[in-house]
Amino acid sequence: MYVLVVYESMFGNTEAVARAIGEGLAEHVQVRVAQVSQWPDATGADAVVVGAPTHAFGLSRPATRADAVRQGAAASPEVGVREWLATLARPGLAAAFDTRIANPLLPGSAAKKVVRTLARAGWRLVVPAESFFVGGTKGPLRNGEFDRARRWGAELAARITAPQPLG
């Protein structure tokens, strides 16, 4: 099996989570981890795992990415997960994750928007969306999140490789 992990990252936190998930997946399946700005091709992937930072309570937009760049992010304001998702053709298996600030007073989740977008396009979500937490806008990841992401990747591989129901 081949799994494509696609991520959008502003300050490196979502990238670190994506790479940890990829490590967990790689224990069981062939995996490629790619930044969305590389416009990775999902053709041939048995599953996609899509991750993004939470911006303004959901997925980033060109304006929120431009704002992140003004704050020092090394990101492309033009290309994000939102735009990449709009180009996916053949539905298959999928999962979604995000990074967000660990504050119960700040609602929103980029992963939930990814899940809704994938589900509307016919993708079959194998697990609920997962959030990984950062200490602030620029991070860092909270203690234990890298290891938790690696474990989630291994659990995700088990779900992806399990026999799928027909229909």
Side-chain angles (χ1 to χ4, degrees), residues 133 140-146:
F133 298 101
L141 284 172
R142 300 284 298 261
N143 288 338
E145 291 299 84
F146 185 87

Side-chain angles (χ1 to χ4, degrees), residues 6-20:
V6 177
Y7 69 90
E8 175 181 344
S9 191
M10 302 294 145
F11 298 101
N13 299 297
T14 310
E15 178 180 8
V17 170
R19 295 202 178 281

